[in-house]
Amino acid sequence: AIQMTQSPSSLSASVGDRVSITCRASQDIRNDLGWYQQKPGKAPKLLIYAASSLQTGVPSRFSGSGSGTEFTLTISSLQPEDFATYYCLQDYNYPRTFGQGTKVEIK
Amino acid sequence: EVQLVESGGGLVQPGGSLRLSCAASGFTFSRYWMSWVRQAPGKGLEWVANIKPDGSQIHCVDSVKGRFTISRDNAKNSLYLQMDSLRDEDTAVFYCARDNWAGDSLYFDPWGQGTLVTVSS
């Protein structure tokens, strides 16, 4: 199975900060990667698919980049509602595998 | 409104069985692949299985092979997960999600609210 490694595992940031989260795949997955946001007690929510396509309704401060084995989720200006855990997911092959998650906390 | 609602979770003893259901509404269920994803308490997300629109193809993670069976009833707009030989480590919130394809790219949207399965004696 393809291993997805996110870094950092957690980070503390302030409102207005620019935040980046990295996801590395154990093999080339082209651009077959999505990003999900999860708040406590809630289901995950899709943010980005195909590495860089913004899901309809998601604020433009979220962006995704990368291809091959290294991918980045960037939040250009962190808002109070963005404090959550973020997961990457590869859909290159089976089994689909998620990164371990990155918790974004308030500084 | 596109909606997925899971049910069937609960407390079960190790070695026992449970059947989860996911009721779909607001879209043509029979046209979509569907998935189950689980999350152990305080842990990350794990994709469990998915099923083709007509039920003719199934994929699942190795840890549940031979124990979990995904199925669907398109006439009832429903997805199922039959879980047998349950283990302590299967304790998790189980989500159903719709598979969407954009070209070669897959994404899960929407997700249900989740149903908690607790395996304990």
Side-chain angles (χ1 to χ4, degrees):
Chain A
I2 297 174
Q3 303 297 318
M4 305 300 296
T5 304
Q6 284 182 235
S7 60
S9 296
S10 64
L11 65 90
S12 296
S14 301
V15 172
D17 284 353
R18 181 182 181 88
V19 168
S20 291
I21 298 168
T22 296
C23 186
R24 288 186 173 86
S26 60
Q27 68 179 72
D28 186 341
I29 60 169
R30 303 180 308 191
N31 70 334
D32 295 337
L33 184 111
W35 290 98
Y36 296 80
Q37 176 195 66
Q38 187 179 34
K39 296 181 179 179
K42 300 293 186 182
K45 172 189 171 184
L46 173 70
L47 299 175
I48 302 282
Y49 63 94
S52 60
S53 295
L54 190 68
Q55 171 67 344
T56 303
V58 174
S60 59
R61 63 181 180 273
F62 291 93
S63 64
S65 63
S67 67
T69 61
E70 187 156 335
F71 302 86
T72 301
L73 173 69
T74 299
I75 309 172
S76 60
S77 176
L78 200 64
Q79 298 302 300
E81 59 269 30
D82 300 336
F83 292 95
T85 301
Y86 294 84
Y87 294 92
C88 61
L89 167 69
Q90 68 82 15
D91 63 271
Y92 178 76
N93 67 6
Y94 290 105
R96 312 301 190 197
T97 44
F98 289 89
Q100 80 278 15
T102 296
K103 187 174 184 178
V104 177
E105 299 175 301
I106 301 172
K107 195 176 212 177
Chain B
E1 179 193 4
V2 176
Q3 195 173 15
L4 298 170
V5 179
E6 301 93 338
S7 61
L11 175 63
V12 61
Q13 291 188 337
S17 297
L18 211 56
R19 188 197 197 203
L20 305 183
S21 300
C22 171
S25 60
F27 65 99
T28 306
F29 179 74
S30 60
R31 292 183 181 174
Y32 288 87
W33 285 76
M34 296 293 297
S35 285
W36 287 99
V37 176
R38 67 181 175 181
Q39 185 170 37
K43 303 297 184 183
L45 300 166
E46 180 183 37
W47 175 83
V48 174
N50 73 349
I51 185 169
K52 195 175 179 179
D54 64 1
S56 63
Q57 276 188 50
I58 288 170
H59 302 275
C60 66
V61 69
D62 283 351
S63 60
V64 308
K65 279 181 182 173
R67 301 188 301 122
F68 290 10
T69 304
I70 188 173
S71 63
R72 64 192 297 159
D73 185 336
N74 288 341
K76 294 183 178 179
N77 292 332
S78 292
L79 175 72
Y80 305 103
L81 188 67
Q82 176 67 40
M83 303 185 295
D84 299 317
S85 302
L86 281 160
R87 306 167 180 167
D88 290 351
E89 57 265 33
D90 294 318
T91 294
V93 173
F94 283 75
Y95 298 99
C96 65
R98 188 180 74 179
D99 294 17
N100 302 268
W101 290 94
D104 291 335
S105 291
L106 165 77
Y107 56 92
F108 296 142
D109 184 69
W111 297 60
Q113 85 287 353
T115 188
L116 175 63
V117 172
T118 302
V119 183
S120 175
S121 53

